[in-house]
């Protein structure tokens, strides 16, 4: 349902990935990954999380991440702030050729990636208390549920007590108990 709602976004997005650890284990001769990267895109004006995608740190994962965003968000940002991961540059040329990429390699006052780094910290704090995941699908499901909570239910002090969805022009009433 929430994928059908179209937010009014600002012209600047931030993208980053953070590692989500899994319980380390081996099955026979095959090593199971010790975790995956959570690729995240957030709108800086509304703090609306556009997508969270679990994958490795390859071009294929980047393409899947951008494809998911492009399929749900029809807007094209003017600027995307990222780190130095070359995948962002390649995918931005493919999916958003008119968008300017700002690569941020160090902490600075303007522009910076403080919104997405803070969000990644929130994700890390939440997943750490869960004692790691056993497999891919429960992790992706949990991240998707957290994205819905973050966008539609969690008020933000920086937004004057509104949710990112409300800031993005989406006024959905959820029953709260």
């Amino acid at each position: 349902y929430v994928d059908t709602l179209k937010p009014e976004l600002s012209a600047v997005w931030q993208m980053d990935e953070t590692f989500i650890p899994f319980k380390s284990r081996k099955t026979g001769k095959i090593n199971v990954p010790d975790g995956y990267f959570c690729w995240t895109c957030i709108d800086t004006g509304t703090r609306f999380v556009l997508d969270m995608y679990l994958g490795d740190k390859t071009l294929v994962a980047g393409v899947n991440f951008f494809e998911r965003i492009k399929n749900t968000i029809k807007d094209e940002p003017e600027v995307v702030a990222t780190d130095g991961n070359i995948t962002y540059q390649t995918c931005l040329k493919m999916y958003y050729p008119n968008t300017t990429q700002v690569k941020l390699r160090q902490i600075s006052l303007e522009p910076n990636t403080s919104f997405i780094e803070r969000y990644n910290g929130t994700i890390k704090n939440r997943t750490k208390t869960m004692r790691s995941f056993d497999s891919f699908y429960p992790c992706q499901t949990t991240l998707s549920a957290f994205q819905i909570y973050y966008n539609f239910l969690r008020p933000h002090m920086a937004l004057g007590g509104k949710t990112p969805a409300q800031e993005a022009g989406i006024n959905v009433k959820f029953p709260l108990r």
Side-chain angles (χ1 to χ4, degrees), residues 35-51:
Y36 288 93
F37 286 89
C38 176
W39 296 67
T40 303
C41 180
I42 192 168
D43 177 63
T44 59
T46 62
R47 309 302 199 278
F48 194 87
V49 176
L50 282 65
D51 194 31

Side-chain angles (χ1 to χ4, degrees), residues 50-168:
L50 282 65
D51 194 31
M52 296 175 68
Y53 174 73
L54 202 58
D56 53 21
K57 209 170 181 180
T58 64
L59 180 59
V60 171
V63 166
N64 290 339
F65 174 59
F66 274 79
E67 191 72 30
R68 286 167 51 111
I69 295 169
K70 192 77 169 177
N71 286 336
T72 56
I73 305 294
K74 300 304 176 196
D75 298 335
E76 182 168 339
E78 292 178 24
V79 175
V80 172
T82 69
D83 58 17
N85 184 342
I86 190 72
T87 300
Y88 294 118
Q89 181 178 353
T90 304
C91 290
L92 280 168
K93 285 180 184 176
M94 290 169 52
Y95 289 91
Y96 301 109
N98 299 319
T99 297
T100 301
Q101 180 187 17
V102 177
K103 293 184 213 174
L104 305 170
R105 298 178 189 269
Q106 58 187 352
I107 297 175
S108 65
L109 293 176
E110 291 292 333
N112 64 53
T113 57
S114 60
F115 302 127
I116 198 149
E117 294 298 345
R118 176 65 183 97
Y119 184 80
N120 283 345
T122 301
I123 293 300
K124 289 248 188 220
N125 287 340
R126 181 67 200 127
T127 57
K128 182 179 179 182
T129 61
M130 298 176 82
R131 307 275 193 253
S132 298
F133 293 96
D134 285 327
S135 62
F136 179 89
Y137 293 105
C139 184
Q140 181 65 65
T141 301
T142 300
L143 293 173
S144 296
F146 186 80
Q147 179 183 347
I148 292 168
Y149 165 74
Y150 186 89
N151 282 339
F152 294 94
L153 299 172
R154 183 178 179 267
H156 293 248
M157 288 190 325
L159 300 175
K162 295 193 292 187
T163 66
Q166 290 169 327
E167 189 70 15

